[in-house]
Amino acid sequence: MRKMATVRRIDEIRAIPDADAIECAVVGGWTVVVKKGEFTAGDLAVYCEIDSFIPTEIAPFLTKLGQEPKEFEGVKGERLRTVRLRGQLSQGLLLPLSIFLDMGLANGFCQMNDNDVSELLGILKYEPPIPASLGGQVRGAFPSSIPKTDQERIQNLADKMAEWRDRRCRWEITEKLDGTSRSEEHTSELQSRSAIS
């Protein structure tokens, strides 16, 4: 099951040309635009993946000024999408660990066994609602007769890449297209140095 919000270490902070108030944080293989000076490389933070539905209590700034938050499964908030800010790709949201204190969840955070904090923070995986025109014709958002791959995103495996390169592992490069359940093969069994470059 996909972990929508995890505690991660920030690998790098990069400047964004011509941007005074924002910069780019790198977490694994993801890039996230953050407020300048809010984080430094090596900090632990909560990384929320794209397609997370973030409750308004956690990040009210996600709702545009003058608009009401959206509602999903009885929770008011916003869905995270990939966006460009000042030309920089932002793939998710970074929250400081102080969010647990702010929400009175410090005890729950201390009792965790892994880095998945989705449930603790009430962060859901956004699934588009079934159109009313299909009412009565479907059992769920995804047909059970089509297999799901459940493969991890390469951006979440950045720390494993060096190990795989050293072991000269072989793998195949595939691309998952939106609206499909399977990856399409582009090239078969490439050496790791070819896949990385």
Side-chain angles (χ1 to χ4, degrees), residues 22-97:
I22 56 174
E23 56 194 356
C24 180
V26 179
V27 179
W30 302 100
T31 57
V32 184
V33 172
V34 296
K35 197 184 319 179
K36 199 169 217 168
E38 185 174 18
F39 299 102
T40 58
D43 284 355
L44 287 175
V46 176
Y47 170 68
C48 304
E49 284 194 15
I50 50 178
D51 291 329
S52 295
F53 192 82
I54 310 293
T56 299
E57 296 79 34
I58 294 175
F61 53 85
L62 292 177
T63 302
K64 292 181 181 175
L65 210 55
Q67 292 187 1
E68 285 294 314
K70 299 183 180 47
E71 190 169 326
F72 176 67
E73 293 189 12
V75 176
K76 290 193 179 282
E78 299 293 335
R79 173 188 179 189
L80 286 183
R81 298 174 184 260
T82 298
V83 296
R84 278 197 186 275
L85 300 167
R86 302 286 284 216
Q88 173 63 54
L89 196 65
S90 186
Q91 303 168 296
L93 174 69
L94 270 184
L95 299 168
L97 290 184

Side-chain angles (χ1 to χ4, degrees), residues 154 156-171 191-193 196:
I154 192 66
N156 291 331
L157 300 173
D159 59 333
K160 303 255 186 213
M161 294 294 284
E163 174 191 335
W164 292 337
R165 184 177 41 229
D166 292 345
R167 290 181 21 210
R168 302 182 77 73
C169 291
R170 298 165 75 91
W171 61 82
Q191 288 191 3
S192 57
R193 67 174 177 270
I196 292 170

Side-chain angles (χ1 to χ4, degrees), residues 92-151:
L93 174 69
L94 270 184
L95 299 168
L97 290 184
S98 62
I99 191 76
F100 297 105
L101 292 174
D102 297 345
M103 295 184 66
L105 298 172
N107 288 339
F109 176 68
C110 293
Q111 295 170 4
M112 289 179 38
N113 294 328
D114 65 11
N115 66 348
D116 186 356
V117 293
S118 309
E119 188 176 337
L120 184 63
L121 293 174
I123 295 173
L124 307 169
K125 181 181 185 303
Y126 179 80
E127 297 280 356
I130 299 167
S133 62
L134 295 177
Q137 298 179 22
V138 294
R139 291 185 187 174
F142 193 87
S144 59
S145 60
I146 300 174
K148 284 191 175 186
T149 57
D150 201 25
Q151 295 172 332

